[in-house]
Amino acid sequence: MAKSYEAIFENNKKWVEAKISDNPEYFHQLAKTQNPEYLYIGCSDSRVTAEDMMGAEPGEVFVHRNVANVINTLDMSSTAVIQYAVEHLKVKHIIVCGHYNCGGVKAAMTSQDLGLLNPWLRNIRDVYRLHQVELDAIEDEAKRYDRLVELNVQEQCINVIKMACVQERYILEEQPVVHGWVFDLRTGKIIDLEIDFEKILKDIQKIYNLTDSDWVMSRKK
Ligand code: CO
């Protein structure tokens, strides 16, 4: 339901009052520090509300959202978010959450010039190319679209696991663990794709190993 601009400030006032009536110290405590266990990376889509669908409160989830939940090492914003979350906040879980009916993924399946979106959605076209045999074998276009959403999540999880800060901290502390989710707008449910984090990490380290585990462990001492 669309709200008027003024209504947002009215809602904010009510929200503040509700929080304070439950706990007069609420904002005093909130201002002190943050200690989230989760980094959530999702799509900018207005229908996919990170904290709301997870039932999470302020302070519980560190959030990054962009068009079609893409992680690319050339994107300073998402890589800075991940590095900060892993090295400073020491999150225990990193979630990459895509969603069915994703406009970004749909756009990447079309043959048209999308201007500035071209280089961004190229990341998803690359996912299609990597999984072209599987995707082209799906005759039903809607099913193919759903599957590309899932494969995009899987590949973006791999992009997170490729990062040195993630590999290094995992050697030291066996966390963060990376999870791939899809939010189903049609049911409201979160689906865990149950990606095998340990196996992906092991497999990709043949190529993307950015850490010398002996060196990492020696620094720990
Ligand atoms: Co989307």
mmCIF file of all heavy atoms in Angstrom, residues 102-128:
data_model
loop_
_atom_site.group_PDB
_atom_site.id
_atom_site.type_symbol
_atom_site.label_atom_id
_atom_site.label_comp_id
_atom_site.label_asym_id
_atom_site.label_seq_id
_atom_site.Cartn_x
_atom_site.Cartn_y
_atom_site.Cartn_z
ATOM 1 N N CYS A 102 12.595 -11.884 -9.952
ATOM 2 C CA CYS A 102 13.595 -10.819 -9.843
ATOM 3 C C CYS A 102 13.741 -10.116 -11.202
ATOM 4 O O CYS A 102 14.112 -10.741 -12.203
ATOM 5 C CB CYS A 102 14.939 -11.408 -9.410
ATOM 6 S SG CYS A 102 16.227 -10.155 -9.220
ATOM 7 N N GLY A 103 13.434 -8.836 -11.213
ATOM 8 C CA GLY A 103 13.496 -8.055 -12.457
ATOM 9 C C GLY A 103 14.891 -8.004 -13.039
ATOM 10 O O GLY A 103 15.066 -8.006 -14.261
ATOM 11 N N GLY A 104 15.906 -7.963 -12.179
ATOM 12 C CA GLY A 104 17.293 -7.922 -12.641
ATOM 13 C C GLY A 104 17.662 -9.192 -13.384
ATOM 14 O O GLY A 104 18.292 -9.150 -14.450
ATOM 15 N N VAL A 105 17.265 -10.331 -12.823
ATOM 16 C CA VAL A 105 17.559 -11.617 -13.458
ATOM 17 C C VAL A 105 16.787 -11.728 -14.776
ATOM 18 O O VAL A 105 17.316 -12.175 -15.794
ATOM 19 C CB VAL A 105 17.227 -12.791 -12.504
ATOM 20 C CG1 VAL A 105 17.348 -14.131 -13.218
ATOM 21 C CG2 VAL A 105 18.151 -12.757 -11.288
ATOM 22 N N LYS A 106 15.526 -11.277 -14.744
ATOM 23 C CA LYS A 106 14.695 -11.315 -15.959
ATOM 24 C C LYS A 106 15.341 -10.478 -17.075
ATOM 25 O O LYS A 106 15.428 -10.910 -18.224
ATOM 26 C CB LYS A 106 13.303 -10.760 -15.630
ATOM 27 C CG LYS A 106 12.317 -10.816 -16.772
ATOM 28 C CD LYS A 106 11.693 -12.185 -16.860
ATOM 29 C CE LYS A 106 10.756 -12.328 -18.031
ATOM 30 N NZ LYS A 106 10.452 -13.738 -18.284
ATOM 31 N N ALA A 107 15.802 -9.286 -16.694
ATOM 32 C CA ALA A 107 16.419 -8.388 -17.679
ATOM 33 C C ALA A 107 17.653 -9.035 -18.309
ATOM 34 O O ALA A 107 17.913 -8.859 -19.503
ATOM 35 C CB ALA A 107 16.783 -7.063 -17.016
ATOM 36 N N ALA A 108 18.386 -9.797 -17.492
ATOM 37 C CA ALA A 108 19.596 -10.451 -18.003
ATOM 38 C C ALA A 108 19.266 -11.587 -18.965
ATOM 39 O O ALA A 108 20.143 -12.094 -19.662
ATOM 40 C CB ALA A 108 20.437 -10.974 -16.837
ATOM 41 N N MET A 109 17.995 -11.999 -18.992
ATOM 42 C CA MET A 109 17.586 -13.064 -19.914
ATOM 43 C C MET A 109 17.069 -12.485 -21.234
ATOM 44 O O MET A 109 16.693 -13.237 -22.132
ATOM 45 C CB MET A 109 16.478 -13.921 -19.283
ATOM 46 C CG MET A 109 16.975 -14.810 -18.145
ATOM 47 S SD MET A 109 15.604 -15.699 -17.334
ATOM 48 C CE MET A 109 15.266 -17.021 -18.502
ATOM 49 N N THR A 110 17.029 -11.160 -21.335
ATOM 50 C CA THR A 110 16.486 -10.556 -22.549
ATOM 51 C C THR A 110 17.607 -10.005 -23.430
ATOM 52 O O THR A 110 18.669 -9.628 -22.935
ATOM 53 C CB THR A 110 15.518 -9.397 -22.218
ATOM 54 O OG1 THR A 110 16.239 -8.403 -21.494
ATOM 55 C CG2 THR A 110 14.349 -9.866 -21.396
ATOM 56 N N SER A 111 17.342 -9.955 -24.733
ATOM 57 C CA SER A 111 18.338 -9.434 -25.669
ATOM 58 C C SER A 111 18.055 -7.967 -25.937
ATOM 59 O O SER A 111 17.401 -7.617 -26.916
ATOM 60 C CB SER A 111 18.266 -10.212 -26.978
ATOM 61 O OG SER A 111 18.343 -11.578 -26.724
ATOM 62 N N GLN A 112 18.482 -7.122 -25.025
ATOM 63 C CA GLN A 112 18.320 -5.695 -25.281
ATOM 64 C C GLN A 112 19.388 -4.883 -24.565
ATOM 65 O O GLN A 112 19.980 -5.343 -23.588
ATOM 66 C CB GLN A 112 16.920 -5.227 -24.868
ATOM 67 C CG GLN A 112 16.566 -5.539 -23.438
ATOM 68 C CD GLN A 112 15.241 -4.902 -23.031
ATOM 69 O OE1 GLN A 112 14.996 -3.740 -23.279
ATOM 70 N NE2 GLN A 112 14.397 -5.679 -22.394
ATOM 71 N N ASP A 113 19.608 -3.689 -25.084
ATOM 72 C CA ASP A 113 20.592 -2.790 -24.509
ATOM 73 C C ASP A 113 19.957 -2.070 -23.325
ATOM 74 O O ASP A 113 18.990 -1.332 -23.481
ATOM 75 C CB ASP A 113 21.041 -1.786 -25.585
ATOM 76 C CG ASP A 113 22.098 -0.818 -25.057
ATOM 77 O OD1 ASP A 113 22.436 -0.893 -23.864
ATOM 78 O OD2 ASP A 113 22.584 0.000 -25.862
ATOM 79 N N LEU A 114 20.502 -2.299 -22.140
ATOM 80 C CA LEU A 114 19.908 -1.727 -20.923
ATOM 81 C C LEU A 114 20.770 -0.606 -20.337
ATOM 82 O O LEU A 114 20.695 -0.299 -19.148
ATOM 83 C CB LEU A 114 19.680 -2.840 -19.889
ATOM 84 C CG LEU A 114 18.712 -3.934 -20.362
ATOM 85 C CD1 LEU A 114 18.929 -5.223 -19.602
ATOM 86 C CD2 LEU A 114 17.272 -3.476 -20.251
ATOM 87 N N GLY A 115 21.616 -0.034 -21.168
ATOM 88 C CA GLY A 115 22.415 1.112 -20.733
ATOM 89 C C GLY A 115 23.364 0.762 -19.602
ATOM 90 O O GLY A 115 24.076 -0.234 -19.654
ATOM 91 N N LEU A 116 23.312 1.578 -18.554
ATOM 92 C CA LEU A 116 24.223 1.409 -17.421
ATOM 93 C C LEU A 116 24.041 0.061 -16.730
ATOM 94 O O LEU A 116 24.945 -0.436 -16.050
ATOM 95 C CB LEU A 116 23.988 2.554 -16.418
ATOM 96 C CG LEU A 116 25.125 2.852 -15.440
ATOM 97 C CD1 LEU A 116 26.407 3.210 -16.178
ATOM 98 C CD2 LEU A 116 24.727 3.973 -14.497
ATOM 99 N N LEU A 117 22.874 -0.521 -16.905
ATOM 100 C CA LEU A 117 22.637 -1.836 -16.289
ATOM 101 C C LEU A 117 23.393 -2.952 -17.007
ATOM 102 O O LEU A 117 23.565 -4.030 -16.461
ATOM 103 C CB LEU A 117 21.140 -2.158 -16.277
ATOM 104 C CG LEU A 117 20.341 -1.597 -15.094
ATOM 105 C CD1 LEU A 117 18.854 -1.708 -15.383
ATOM 106 C CD2 LEU A 117 20.673 -2.324 -13.795
ATOM 107 N N ASN A 118 23.855 -2.683 -18.249
ATOM 108 C CA ASN A 118 24.538 -3.743 -19.011
ATOM 109 C C ASN A 118 25.713 -4.362 -18.260
ATOM 110 O O ASN A 118 25.759 -5.578 -18.097
ATOM 111 C CB ASN A 118 25.024 -3.234 -20.375
ATOM 112 C CG ASN A 118 23.882 -3.025 -21.350
ATOM 113 O OD1 ASN A 118 22.844 -3.638 -21.241
ATOM 114 N ND2 ASN A 118 24.091 -2.133 -22.308
ATOM 115 N N PRO A 119 26.693 -3.545 -17.807
ATOM 116 C CA PRO A 119 27.843 -4.170 -17.138
ATOM 117 C C PRO A 119 27.459 -4.874 -15.842
ATOM 118 O O PRO A 119 28.068 -5.877 -15.463
ATOM 119 C CB PRO A 119 28.799 -3.000 -16.875
ATOM 120 C CG PRO A 119 27.977 -1.768 -17.013
ATOM 121 C CD PRO A 119 26.864 -2.105 -17.952
ATOM 122 N N TRP A 120 26.437 -4.353 -15.168
ATOM 123 C CA TRP A 120 26.006 -4.977 -13.908
ATOM 124 C C TRP A 120 25.353 -6.331 -14.183
ATOM 125 O O TRP A 120 25.691 -7.345 -13.569
ATOM 126 C CB TRP A 120 25.034 -4.041 -13.174
ATOM 127 C CG TRP A 120 24.757 -4.493 -11.773
ATOM 128 C CD1 TRP A 120 23.609 -5.039 -11.309
ATOM 129 C CD2 TRP A 120 25.666 -4.468 -10.672
ATOM 130 N NE1 TRP A 120 23.740 -5.352 -9.983
ATOM 131 C CE2 TRP A 120 24.994 -5.015 -9.572
ATOM 132 C CE3 TRP A 120 26.998 -4.051 -10.517
ATOM 133 C CZ2 TRP A 120 25.600 -5.145 -8.314
ATOM 134 C CZ3 TRP A 120 27.593 -4.182 -9.273
ATOM 135 C CH2 TRP A 120 26.901 -4.709 -8.199
ATOM 136 N N LEU A 121 24.422 -6.333 -15.137
ATOM 137 C CA LEU A 121 23.686 -7.568 -15.425
ATOM 138 C C LEU A 121 24.539 -8.558 -16.214
ATOM 139 O O LEU A 121 24.193 -9.731 -16.319
ATOM 140 C CB LEU A 121 22.382 -7.248 -16.171
ATOM 141 C CG LEU A 121 21.394 -6.403 -15.357
ATOM 142 C CD1 LEU A 121 20.152 -6.099 -16.178
ATOM 143 C CD2 LEU A 121 20.993 -7.096 -14.048
ATOM 144 N N ARG A 122 25.662 -8.086 -16.728
ATOM 145 C CA ARG A 122 26.607 -8.991 -17.384
ATOM 146 C C ARG A 122 27.005 -10.109 -16.419
ATOM 147 O O ARG A 122 27.215 -11.269 -16.803
ATOM 148 C CB ARG A 122 27.852 -8.210 -17.813
ATOM 149 C CG ARG A 122 28.312 -8.419 -19.251
ATOM 150 C CD ARG A 122 29.103 -9.708 -19.450
ATOM 151 N NE ARG A 122 30.186 -9.851 -18.479
ATOM 152 C CZ ARG A 122 31.380 -9.291 -18.588
ATOM 153 N NH1 ARG A 122 31.666 -8.521 -19.608
ATOM 154 N NH2 ARG A 122 32.300 -9.511 -17.655
ATOM 155 N N ASN A 123 27.086 -9.765 -15.128
ATOM 156 C CA ASN A 123 27.414 -10.774 -14.116
ATOM 157 C C ASN A 123 26.413 -11.933 -14.145
ATOM 158 O O ASN A 123 26.782 -13.085 -13.936
ATOM 159 C CB ASN A 123 27.394 -10.137 -12.712
ATOM 160 C CG ASN A 123 28.516 -9.121 -12.523
ATOM 161 O OD1 ASN A 123 29.675 -9.489 -12.450
ATOM 162 N ND2 ASN A 123 28.170 -7.848 -12.474
ATOM 163 N N ILE A 124 25.156 -11.607 -14.394
ATOM 164 C CA ILE A 124 24.122 -12.655 -14.418
ATOM 165 C C ILE A 124 24.133 -13.390 -15.755
ATOM 166 O O ILE A 124 23.917 -14.598 -15.809
ATOM 167 C CB ILE A 124 22.740 -12.048 -14.101
ATOM 168 C CG1 ILE A 124 22.793 -11.418 -12.705
ATOM 169 C CG2 ILE A 124 21.647 -13.113 -14.142
ATOM 170 C CD1 ILE A 124 21.645 -10.526 -12.399
ATOM 171 N N ARG A 125 24.448 -12.652 -16.819
ATOM 172 C CA ARG A 125 24.605 -13.343 -18.113
ATOM 173 C C ARG A 125 25.763 -14.343 -18.021
ATOM 174 O O ARG A 125 25.718 -15.419 -18.619
ATOM 175 C CB ARG A 125 24.861 -12.331 -19.236
ATOM 176 C CG ARG A 125 23.645 -11.438 -19.534
ATOM 177 C CD ARG A 125 23.912 -10.543 -20.738
ATOM 178 N NE ARG A 125 22.992 -9.425 -20.781
ATOM 179 C CZ ARG A 125 21.791 -9.451 -21.352
ATOM 180 N NH1 ARG A 125 21.370 -10.545 -21.942
ATOM 181 N NH2 ARG A 125 21.024 -8.374 -21.346
ATOM 182 N N ASP A 126 26.788 -14.001 -17.260
ATOM 183 C CA ASP A 126 27.914 -14.934 -17.051
ATOM 184 C C ASP A 126 27.451 -16.192 -16.313
ATOM 185 O O ASP A 126 27.922 -17.292 -16.595
ATOM 186 C CB ASP A 126 29.041 -14.260 -16.247
ATOM 187 C CG ASP A 126 29.788 -13.206 -17.061
ATOM 188 O OD1 ASP A 126 29.651 -13.190 -18.306
ATOM 189 O OD2 ASP A 126 30.504 -12.388 -16.443
ATOM 190 N N VAL A 127 26.540 -16.008 -15.341
ATOM 191 C CA VAL A 127 25.977 -17.167 -14.626
ATOM 192 C C VAL A 127 25.237 -18.059 -15.623
ATOM 193 O O VAL A 127 25.374 -19.280 -15.597
ATOM 194 C CB VAL A 127 25.017 -16.718 -13.497
ATOM 195 C CG1 VAL A 127 24.322 -17.932 -12.873
ATOM 196 C CG2 VAL A 127 25.760 -15.915 -12.434
ATOM 197 N N TYR A 128 24.481 -17.427 -16.520
ATOM 198 C CA TYR A 128 23.755 -18.191 -17.541
ATOM 199 C C TYR A 128 24.740 -18.987 -18.399
ATOM 200 O O TYR A 128 24.553 -20.173 -18.650
ATOM 201 C CB TYR A 128 22.900 -17.261 -18.426
ATOM 202 C CG TYR A 128 21.813 -18.005 -19.177
ATOM 203 C CD1 TYR A 128 20.477 -17.825 -18.851
ATOM 204 C CD2 TYR A 128 22.146 -18.906 -20.196
ATOM 205 C CE1 TYR A 128 19.477 -18.537 -19.517
ATOM 206 C CE2 TYR A 128 21.153 -19.611 -20.862
ATOM 207 C CZ TYR A 128 19.824 -19.416 -20.519
ATOM 208 O OH TYR A 128 18.849 -20.127 -21.169
#
